[in-house]
Amino acid sequence: MASPDTGSAIRACAQSVIRAIETHGHDTAKLTEALRAPFAALVARPDLREAGVPRVGNHVANSQYLYYDGDLSILLFELPNGQPIPAHDHGNWESMAIYRGRVKHTVYERRDDGSVPGFADLAVVEDSVLEPGDSVVIAPPADIHGFVALEDDTWGITVASGTYKPERCYFQPDAKTVVTRKPRG
């Protein structure tokens, strides 16, 4: 069971995120820097996995709400080792931090205008391995990402502002294709 201090840490993180958005808008670099300390406080919590409320995950089986207020959500989710989450978009900005384990994470920017059905030309903007405490902000124009856990017991924290699109674009960057569909759990 999570300690009462964990709830306070989650609330403090949410308040810091709200202030960062008010101060920096959707400036990816400034948001990334502003979210470092609040994410570090959450990642330091050993009992975070006991603090959430279960939710249906879009790409994973184990996902929890840590915070939700109708506009801002903070989620904790488990990534199965070696099972890729395909390159996809969200329709809003999102930040992801690593709680436990390691993740290979790739951020893309779409180079074509989307006018040809089924075709998408993506450019890699960032390709990295994220470890506990590392975080990234995924926001337009580089608002497409894909990732895979590199070890067992890998957990991520996602912060999102706004509403996710009910149907997302899923990309195969090497094949230069895109399909639109509802996310699967």
Side-chain angles (χ1 to χ4, degrees):
M1 179 168 197
S3 78
D5 291 345
T6 301
S8 295
I10 293 168
R11 190 171 26 266
C13 179
Q15 291 167 341
S16 294
V17 171
I18 291 166
R19 281 192 303 277
I21 294 167
E22 289 170 349
T23 303
H24 304 297
H26 295 288
D27 182 314
T28 304
K30 289 181 180 177
L31 276 175
T32 299
E33 187 56 38
L35 297 179
R36 259 186 237 294
F39 279 157
L42 282 186
V43 169
R45 305 288 324 175
D47 57 351
L48 199 58
R49 287 182 271 193
E50 290 82 37
V53 175
R55 73 178 277 272
V56 175
N58 290 326
H59 303 106
V60 298
N62 191 354
S63 181
Q64 309 169 33
Y65 282 109
L66 295 175
Y67 177 89
Y68 179 78
D69 69 11
D71 181 55
L72 183 73
S73 61
I74 302 176
L75 311 171
L76 178 69
F77 59 96
E78 183 177 17
L79 288 168
N81 186 13
Q83 293 183 17
I85 306 300
H88 61 280
D89 65 2
H90 297 113
N92 61 340
W93 76 267
E94 179 179 83
S95 183
M96 186 170 91
I98 304 307
Y99 179 57
R100 300 286 182 263
R102 294 174 54 239
V103 173
K104 181 179 182 328
H105 184 261
T106 306
V107 179
Y108 303 90
E109 182 174 288
R110 190 165 183 173
R111 294 191 300 197
D112 68 293
D113 64 5
S115 63
V116 177
F119 175 79
D121 185 16
L122 302 183
V124 173
V125 174
E126 182 180 328
D127 194 23
S128 58
V129 172
L130 304 175
E131 298 187 356
D134 291 342
S135 65
V136 294
V137 174
I138 304 97
D143 59 344
I144 300 164
H145 72 148
F147 46 95
V148 62
L150 299 176
E151 56 190 58
D152 290 336
D153 199 34
T154 294
W155 291 76
I157 299 170
T158 295
V159 174
S161 179
T163 304
Y164 288 106
K165 294 189 319 186
E167 291 192 342
R168 314 252 186 97
C169 291
Y170 287 86
F171 302 87
Q172 291 185 343
D174 293 339
K176 295 190 176 194
T177 62
V178 60
V179 297
T180 302
R181 63 177 165 79
K182 290 183 179 187
R184 307 187 281 248

